[in-house]
Amino acid sequence: MRKQEVRTGGEAGQGRGPSSPAGQVKALVDLLAGKSSQGSQAPHTADRTPHSDDSRIQKCQEALLNRAKGSPELSGPSPRLTNLLLVEGLTDLQLKEHDFTQVETTRGGWHPAKTIALDRLFLPLSRVSIPPRISITIGVAGVGKTTLVRNFVHLWARGQVGKDFSLVLPLTFRDLNTHEKLSADRLIRSVFPHTGESGLVAAALPKILLILDGLDECKTPLDFSNTVACTDPKKEIQVDHLITNIIRGNLFPEVSVWVTSRPGVAGQIPGGLVDRMTEIRGFTEEEIKVCLEEMFPEDHALSDWVLRQVQADRALYLMCTVPAFCRLAGSALGHLSRSKPGPQDAEPWTPRTLCELYSWYFRMALGGDGQEKGKASPRIEQVAHSSRKMVGTLGRLAFHGLVRRKYVFYEQDLKAFGVDLALLQSALCGCFLRREETLASSTAYCFTHLSLQEFVAAAYYYSASKRAIFDLFTEGGVSWPRLGFLTHFRSAAQRAMQAEDGRLDVFLRFLSGLLSPKVNALLAGSLLAQGEQQGYRAQVAELLQGCLRPNVAVCARAVNILRCLHELQHTELARGVQAAMESGGLAALTGPQHRAALAYLLQVSDACAREASLSLRLSKGVLQSLLPQLLYCRSLRLDNNQFQDPVMELLGSVLSGKDCRIQRISLAENQISNKGAKALARSLLVNRSLTALDLRSNSIGPQGAKALADALKINRTLAFLSLQSNSIRDNGARSVAEALAANRTLSVLQFSSNSIGDGGAGALAKALKVNQGLESLDLQSNSISDAGVAALMGALCANKTLVSLNLRENSISSEGARELARALCTNSTLKNLEYPDSQPPPRPGRPGHRGGNERKPGPHVPSPAVEFHPGRCCQGPGTSTTAQQEPDQPRFTGECHRGRRRLCSGQRTQGQHGPHCALSAGGLHWLPGGPGARGRPGCEQNLGDSRTAQQRCQMRTLCLRPTGFPSVTCFPDERSVLPAPGRASALSSFSSLPRLPGPVPAPKSPLGQSNSRDTYAVCCCHQGTPLSFRWVTLKV
């Protein structure tokens, strides 16, 4: 889209005076158009008065209100029509694919975008911008573009929106198609023919909005490259040339233009001419429910049943985000529930494919649903005859209109295709065709929805291909070798594969679905012959699979072949690939059919909707063929595939695409070096969807980290970055630290196992002092010593956002612990801390001897952690308080024992701690040695004894990692309260504790990795009586 003109704040509030360049251009155009207020060429403008303008506007408003009377869609616009999405141009998917494919590929979702209210649709977005002249609103077929326009015009006529416009001129391309040639003057007069005034007089009003609804219905495509410029408003030219000159500004340059269109056709207007583009979103889940309830207002049970049937099939449910499809599906399913099986009918079954759903809709039309009550239902013979006659007439119209991209028909079109006009008056045709009067007093016909035209066209092609001896697509000369249904089906499949805009995709689906056994059972006797599909079904399935060519990227046409097989109820190929995905056997499936099936599953599988897992030996060739379809995966896992840097170049091109919707991608445990990291970094410069990137266990090194850091200075969407085990060292950490000083969106950064020393820690500390976005920093298993900890703790005194810090497995001594204690006295935001502890000293008098109660950990046993979660403390049976307790009450939230080591995390007034609970006002104490044997005092190390720490410290999780398994005084996470083994003597009254709440779910990382945790309630006992308990999570 073109960039709008920018003015200063003072100029923004001023009008366009005659001395301004815009005013001079307007005066020149007025002079050329004969509208100058000086001279004798335009005497009518000299007599204009404000009163005459007001009366003219009032007449126009009254005319528009009278035209809209009785329209049911003007009862009140829905919220989705009063708030449109602001978009920045069209994507490749919108330009090249069928409307159904757009909805299915994106799973009914829309790009996160700003919204704009309907009453601000034509206003400047800021104080320094100007109103848009050319605005385009796009939306798939049936989403409500015409309803939006009619609502806007109705609200303007009532003075509720568009108050800046003196006049609104609503036109549809259905109206314009009735003219071969038209001038700009006649164009304006055609909107209000009753006024009898020149169109130039109306166009001379201060501010005009010209609405052109339905560009996709224009009979001639707009060609901006070969259209001759025209500046004479009275010269009659072809309609498409007239519209092109108005959009270019050659005619009516001061008139604002609003065009609505389907996305694929909107690309006819060059982006450089468009000032603002908006999009109508479809239904949300709640709006689907409301729509079905409004269809059956008197039968809530029926609306609930219809909703359940729609939700049972994910593909149909996604299509119900299109309002017109939702109403069509509701009508068909409502008829299904009301139909009672006769003696020869099977029990009604719910549709699971598009063709099955539309077959029920066809049966509803044949059964007379919606006809006037009291009329007798037609007999079976009449039904069969009328249905075949309807397919023979409307079907031919629908098919050739689809081939020629014609979606609106007039009486001359009906006569050309031999359609009996009397047939259009029947209730049967009323379910498929909609009749509208144009401004030129002619009648226009269009199918209720584009998909209905495609279904009727497929039914016609199915019946005609059995006897046709010529190509139905071209109606060329006789070609005897092309006899037979299979030959015609092959022709349809080839043409659908060759259509670049996908306009025949859904047609081919319906044509395949007519061969399925269920559809044949539904339409037997009325449209199809009983059992006739059995001779073709297997051959058609083989023919469709033969359309999948090898060594070609899997495009939307190939995925559509799998959808055709689904309509045919031939799902063996898709089921086989799905089983391989679940078992991890994708490496053996490398054929073109398997690749297309895999791309199909990426779109329709519920598991792939959550996360597309393509890990374990996926070859580069398979990945390269899937790249066009990976664009629309929200979460993508490509771990352990031995991918190298060339594959990262391919993935970088995917992430750089405008259509990219990938939000999370994991590339862990591959063979990515700094070149691959640079390719990914280049994509991050333009990507706007990725929020999580996992590169752990690769070899990007310091140079790769620097490339990613440079991208982080610009990127504003990435929130999670894992560079664990990448050998980035201090230089890489410095580069990322420099980026953190400017980045405000990255919230989780994982740097574990990267050989980062005190230099890297110091650089990160400087960044933390100014960074306002990072919340979690993982520095586990590095080479950070006390100097690095001192720098980090100094940063914690100034940082206000970091809530989690992991310093496990570093070279930190007791001096670092004291720095931590001082930082915790000042920091008020850190909630989770994982901190290393030293080996406990040997027992006094027995150097090097390990007591019998002290177990030596095995070589592969990870160090456990105890995490303390503040919440509700229960003090005695049936009582509870919050975390803030009275100062004279003991508060003990957990114990961690290794031999005689104890960790106490809690607060208690000084001097009231028991023999094993040494706490002061700081509330955090570490007893490396624990109490001595038989009550002898042990070695205590204090982590904070400042009284201000009790008020400032917000610690929620404190992980001190011992070298062996602890014995925890706890209760298991069960409804019944049981003591830990070997602790029953200390809990003589444990049965008096209240029952614990239900299990606590384990938290998950941004990439869906769950942590292995066991949750306990840790008890505080005083003289053998349990006083309180608290949740404790033991993570191993």
Side-chain angles (χ1 to χ4, degrees), residues 96-97 405 471 473-474 482 490-505 508 547 549 555-558 560-561:
K96 298 179 180 180
E97 303 303 337
R405 297 183 177 90
D471 188 352
F473 280 90
T474 60
R482 298 178 66 84
R490 183 182 294 107
S491 174
Q494 291 174 351
R495 290 184 178 273
M497 292 290 291
Q498 294 169 2
E500 295 182 356
D501 56 359
R503 69 180 186 280
L504 297 178
D505 283 358
L508 186 62
C547 294
R549 294 171 294 174
C555 60
R557 307 288 86 74
N560 190 66
I561 293 296

Short mmCIF file of all heavy atoms in Angstrom, two decimals, residues 96-97 405 471 473-474 482 490-505 508 547 549 555-558 560-561:
data_model
loop_
_atom_site.label_atom_id
_atom_site.label_comp_id
_atom_site.label_asym_id
_atom_site.label_seq_id
_atom_site.Cartn_x
_atom_site.Cartn_y
_atom_site.Cartn_z
N LYS A 96 -3.57 -16.21 -4.16
CA LYS A 96 -3.46 -17.37 -5.05
C LYS A 96 -4.38 -18.53 -4.72
O LYS A 96 -4.45 -19.48 -5.50
CB LYS A 96 -2.01 -17.89 -5.02
CG LYS A 96 -0.99 -16.88 -5.52
CD LYS A 96 0.42 -17.45 -5.45
CE LYS A 96 1.46 -16.44 -5.94
NZ LYS A 96 2.84 -16.98 -5.86
N GLU A 97 -5.07 -18.48 -3.59
CA GLU A 97 -5.82 -19.66 -3.18
C GLU A 97 -7.31 -19.38 -3.07
O GLU A 97 -7.75 -18.24 -2.91
CB GLU A 97 -5.29 -20.19 -1.84
CG GLU A 97 -3.81 -20.53 -1.86
CD GLU A 97 -3.42 -21.55 -2.91
OE1 GLU A 97 -4.31 -22.32 -3.35
OE2 GLU A 97 -2.25 -21.58 -3.33
N ARG A 405 -15.25 -17.54 -14.49
CA ARG A 405 -15.19 -16.62 -13.35
C ARG A 405 -16.39 -15.67 -13.34
O ARG A 405 -16.26 -14.48 -13.07
CB ARG A 405 -13.89 -15.81 -13.38
CG ARG A 405 -12.63 -16.62 -13.25
CD ARG A 405 -11.42 -15.70 -13.21
NE ARG A 405 -10.17 -16.42 -13.02
CZ ARG A 405 -9.43 -16.88 -14.02
NH1 ARG A 405 -9.83 -16.70 -15.28
NH2 ARG A 405 -8.31 -17.52 -13.79
N ASP A 471 -15.10 -32.30 -24.79
CA ASP A 471 -14.55 -31.73 -23.56
C ASP A 471 -15.54 -30.71 -23.01
O ASP A 471 -15.83 -29.70 -23.63
CB ASP A 471 -13.20 -31.07 -23.84
CG ASP A 471 -12.49 -30.64 -22.58
OD1 ASP A 471 -13.11 -30.71 -21.51
OD2 ASP A 471 -11.32 -30.22 -22.66
N PHE A 473 -15.19 -28.63 -20.68
CA PHE A 473 -14.60 -27.35 -20.30
C PHE A 473 -14.50 -26.39 -21.48
O PHE A 473 -14.58 -25.19 -21.31
CB PHE A 473 -13.20 -27.57 -19.70
CG PHE A 473 -13.22 -28.00 -18.27
CD1 PHE A 473 -13.26 -29.35 -17.94
CD2 PHE A 473 -13.23 -27.08 -17.24
CE1 PHE A 473 -13.29 -29.76 -16.63
CE2 PHE A 473 -13.25 -27.48 -15.92
CZ PHE A 473 -13.29 -28.83 -15.61
N THR A 474 -14.32 -26.92 -22.67
CA THR A 474 -14.15 -26.06 -23.83
C THR A 474 -15.30 -26.14 -24.80
O THR A 474 -15.45 -25.27 -25.65
CB THR A 474 -12.85 -26.42 -24.57
OG1 THR A 474 -12.93 -27.79 -25.01
CG2 THR A 474 -11.65 -26.25 -23.67
N ARG A 482 -12.24 -39.51 -26.01
CA ARG A 482 -12.48 -38.93 -24.70
C ARG A 482 -13.81 -39.37 -24.13
O ARG A 482 -14.43 -38.66 -23.34
CB ARG A 482 -12.43 -37.40 -24.79
CG ARG A 482 -11.07 -36.87 -25.24
CD ARG A 482 -11.11 -35.36 -25.36
NE ARG A 482 -11.29 -34.72 -24.07
CZ ARG A 482 -10.31 -34.45 -23.20
NH1 ARG A 482 -9.07 -34.79 -23.50
NH2 ARG A 482 -10.57 -33.85 -22.07
N ARG A 490 -10.57 -37.21 -15.29
CA ARG A 490 -9.14 -36.90 -15.43
C ARG A 490 -8.95 -35.49 -15.98
O ARG A 490 -8.06 -34.75 -15.53
CB ARG A 490 -8.48 -37.92 -16.36
CG ARG A 490 -6.97 -37.70 -16.51
CD ARG A 490 -6.35 -38.71 -17.47
NE ARG A 490 -6.43 -40.06 -16.92
CZ ARG A 490 -7.26 -41.00 -17.38
NH1 ARG A 490 -8.09 -40.73 -18.39
NH2 ARG A 490 -7.27 -42.20 -16.85
N SER A 491 -9.79 -35.10 -16.93
CA SER A 491 -9.69 -33.75 -17.47
C SER A 491 -9.97 -32.71 -16.38
O SER A 491 -9.26 -31.69 -16.29
CB SER A 491 -10.69 -33.58 -18.62
OG SER A 491 -10.72 -32.25 -19.08
N ALA A 492 -10.99 -32.95 -15.55
CA ALA A 492 -11.30 -32.01 -14.46
C ALA A 492 -10.16 -31.94 -13.46
O ALA A 492 -9.80 -30.85 -12.98
CB ALA A 492 -12.59 -32.43 -13.77
N ALA A 493 -9.55 -33.08 -13.13
CA ALA A 493 -8.45 -33.09 -12.17
C ALA A 493 -7.24 -32.34 -12.72
O ALA A 493 -6.57 -31.58 -12.00
CB ALA A 493 -8.08 -34.52 -11.81
N GLN A 494 -6.94 -32.54 -13.99
CA GLN A 494 -5.80 -31.85 -14.58
C GLN A 494 -6.01 -30.34 -14.62
O GLN A 494 -5.09 -29.57 -14.35
CB GLN A 494 -5.55 -32.40 -15.99
CG GLN A 494 -5.04 -33.83 -16.02
CD GLN A 494 -4.96 -34.39 -17.43
OE1 GLN A 494 -5.42 -33.78 -18.38
NE2 GLN A 494 -4.37 -35.57 -17.55
N ARG A 495 -7.21 -29.91 -14.97
CA ARG A 495 -7.47 -28.47 -15.02
C ARG A 495 -7.46 -27.86 -13.62
O ARG A 495 -7.02 -26.72 -13.45
CB ARG A 495 -8.80 -28.21 -15.71
CG ARG A 495 -8.77 -28.49 -17.20
CD ARG A 495 -10.07 -28.13 -17.86
NE ARG A 495 -9.99 -28.38 -19.31
CZ ARG A 495 -9.55 -27.50 -20.20
NH1 ARG A 495 -9.14 -26.31 -19.80
NH2 ARG A 495 -9.51 -27.80 -21.48
N ALA A 496 -7.92 -28.60 -12.63
CA ALA A 496 -7.87 -28.10 -11.26
C ALA A 496 -6.43 -27.96 -10.78
O ALA A 496 -6.08 -27.00 -10.08
CB ALA A 496 -8.66 -29.02 -10.33
N MET A 497 -5.57 -28.92 -11.17
CA MET A 497 -4.16 -28.84 -10.77
C MET A 497 -3.44 -27.69 -11.47
O MET A 497 -2.50 -27.11 -10.94
CB MET A 497 -3.45 -30.16 -11.09
CG MET A 497 -3.91 -31.33 -10.24
SD MET A 497 -3.39 -31.19 -8.51
CE MET A 497 -1.62 -31.39 -8.65
N GLN A 498 -3.90 -27.32 -12.67
CA GLN A 498 -3.23 -26.26 -13.43
C GLN A 498 -3.74 -24.87 -13.09
O GLN A 498 -3.10 -23.88 -13.44
CB GLN A 498 -3.44 -26.52 -14.93
CG GLN A 498 -2.75 -27.78 -15.43
CD GLN A 498 -3.18 -28.16 -16.83
OE1 GLN A 498 -3.97 -27.46 -17.46
NE2 GLN A 498 -2.66 -29.28 -17.34
N ALA A 499 -4.90 -24.77 -12.44
CA ALA A 499 -5.47 -23.46 -12.10
C ALA A 499 -4.63 -22.81 -11.00
O ALA A 499 -4.57 -23.33 -9.88
CB ALA A 499 -6.92 -23.62 -11.66
N GLU A 500 -4.01 -21.71 -11.30
CA GLU A 500 -3.12 -21.07 -10.33
C GLU A 500 -3.86 -20.42 -9.18
O GLU A 500 -3.30 -20.26 -8.10
CB GLU A 500 -2.25 -20.03 -11.04
CG GLU A 500 -1.29 -20.62 -12.07
CD GLU A 500 -0.43 -19.57 -12.72
OE1 GLU A 500 -0.65 -18.37 -12.41
OE2 GLU A 500 0.46 -19.92 -13.51
N ASP A 501 -5.11 -20.02 -9.40
CA ASP A 501 -5.85 -19.36 -8.34
C ASP A 501 -6.72 -20.32 -7.54
O ASP A 501 -7.45 -19.89 -6.65
CB ASP A 501 -6.72 -18.24 -8.92
CG ASP A 501 -7.66 -18.75 -10.01
OD1 ASP A 501 -7.62 -19.96 -10.33
OD2 ASP A 501 -8.44 -17.94 -10.54
N GLY A 502 -6.67 -21.62 -7.85
CA GLY A 502 -7.41 -22.61 -7.07
C GLY A 502 -8.91 -22.51 -7.20
O GLY A 502 -9.63 -23.04 -6.35
N ARG A 503 -9.41 -21.89 -8.26
CA ARG A 503 -10.86 -21.69 -8.35
C ARG A 503 -11.62 -22.98 -8.59
O ARG A 503 -12.85 -23.02 -8.41
CB ARG A 503 -11.17 -20.69 -9.45
CG ARG A 503 -10.90 -21.17 -10.86
CD ARG A 503 -11.24 -20.09 -11.88
NE ARG A 503 -11.12 -20.55 -13.25
CZ ARG A 503 -9.98 -20.64 -13.92
NH1 ARG A 503 -8.86 -20.27 -13.32
NH2 ARG A 503 -9.96 -21.08 -15.17
N LEU A 504 -10.93 -24.08 -9.01
CA LEU A 504 -11.59 -25.35 -9.26
C LEU A 504 -11.34 -26.37 -8.15
O LEU A 504 -11.73 -27.53 -8.27
CB LEU A 504 -11.14 -25.93 -10.60
CG LEU A 504 -11.47 -25.11 -11.85
CD1 LEU A 504 -10.91 -25.77 -13.08
CD2 LEU A 504 -12.97 -24.91 -11.98
N ASP A 505 -10.69 -25.96 -7.07
CA ASP A 505 -10.36 -26.91 -6.00
C ASP A 505 -11.60 -27.50 -5.35
O ASP A 505 -11.73 -28.72 -5.22
CB ASP A 505 -9.49 -26.21 -4.94
CG ASP A 505 -8.05 -26.05 -5.40
OD1 ASP A 505 -7.73 -26.51 -6.51
OD2 ASP A 505 -7.26 -25.45 -4.65
N LEU A 508 -13.62 -29.77 -7.61
CA LEU A 508 -13.07 -31.12 -7.71
C LEU A 508 -13.38 -31.94 -6.45
O LEU A 508 -13.60 -33.15 -6.53
CB LEU A 508 -11.57 -31.06 -7.94
CG LEU A 508 -10.86 -32.40 -8.21
CD1 LEU A 508 -11.41 -33.03 -9.49
CD2 LEU A 508 -9.35 -32.21 -8.31
N CYS A 547 -1.94 -37.84 -9.65
CA CYS A 547 -1.72 -36.41 -9.90
C CYS A 547 -0.60 -35.83 -9.04
O CYS A 547 -0.17 -34.69 -9.28
CB CYS A 547 -3.01 -35.63 -9.66
SG CYS A 547 -4.35 -36.00 -10.81
N ARG A 549 2.89 -35.37 -8.30
CA ARG A 549 4.13 -35.56 -9.03
C ARG A 549 5.32 -35.55 -8.09
O ARG A 549 5.34 -34.83 -7.10
CB ARG A 549 4.28 -34.45 -10.08
CG ARG A 549 3.24 -34.49 -11.18
CD ARG A 549 3.32 -33.25 -12.05
NE ARG A 549 2.95 -32.05 -11.29
CZ ARG A 549 3.04 -30.81 -11.78
NH1 ARG A 549 3.51 -30.62 -12.99
NH2 ARG A 549 2.68 -29.79 -11.04
N CYS A 555 2.34 -28.20 -2.99
CA CYS A 555 1.58 -26.95 -3.08
C CYS A 555 0.16 -27.19 -2.60
O CYS A 555 -0.23 -28.30 -2.23
CB CYS A 555 1.58 -26.44 -4.51
SG CYS A 555 0.84 -27.58 -5.69
N ALA A 556 -0.63 -26.13 -2.62
CA ALA A 556 -2.03 -26.24 -2.17
C ALA A 556 -2.83 -27.17 -3.06
O ALA A 556 -3.77 -27.82 -2.61
CB ALA A 556 -2.67 -24.86 -2.13
N ARG A 557 -2.45 -27.27 -4.37
CA ARG A 557 -3.18 -28.18 -5.26
C ARG A 557 -2.98 -29.63 -4.82
O ARG A 557 -3.91 -30.43 -4.88
CB ARG A 557 -2.69 -28.03 -6.70
CG ARG A 557 -2.68 -26.65 -7.31
CD ARG A 557 -4.08 -26.15 -7.61
NE ARG A 557 -4.65 -25.53 -6.44
CZ ARG A 557 -4.29 -24.32 -5.98
NH1 ARG A 557 -3.37 -23.63 -6.60
NH2 ARG A 557 -4.86 -23.81 -4.91
N ALA A 558 -1.75 -29.95 -4.39
CA ALA A 558 -1.48 -31.32 -3.94
C ALA A 558 -2.24 -31.64 -2.65
O ALA A 558 -2.77 -32.74 -2.49
CB ALA A 558 0.02 -31.51 -3.75
N ASN A 560 -5.00 -30.35 -1.82
CA ASN A 560 -6.40 -30.48 -2.20
C ASN A 560 -6.71 -31.88 -2.72
O ASN A 560 -7.84 -32.37 -2.59
CB ASN A 560 -6.75 -29.43 -3.26
CG ASN A 560 -8.24 -29.35 -3.52
OD1 ASN A 560 -9.02 -28.96 -2.66
ND2 ASN A 560 -8.66 -29.76 -4.72
N ILE A 561 -5.73 -32.56 -3.35
CA ILE A 561 -5.93 -33.94 -3.78
C ILE A 561 -6.23 -34.83 -2.59
O ILE A 561 -7.10 -35.71 -2.64
CB ILE A 561 -4.69 -34.44 -4.54
CG1 ILE A 561 -4.53 -33.68 -5.86
CG2 ILE A 561 -4.78 -35.94 -4.80
CD1 ILE A 561 -5.64 -33.90 -6.85
#
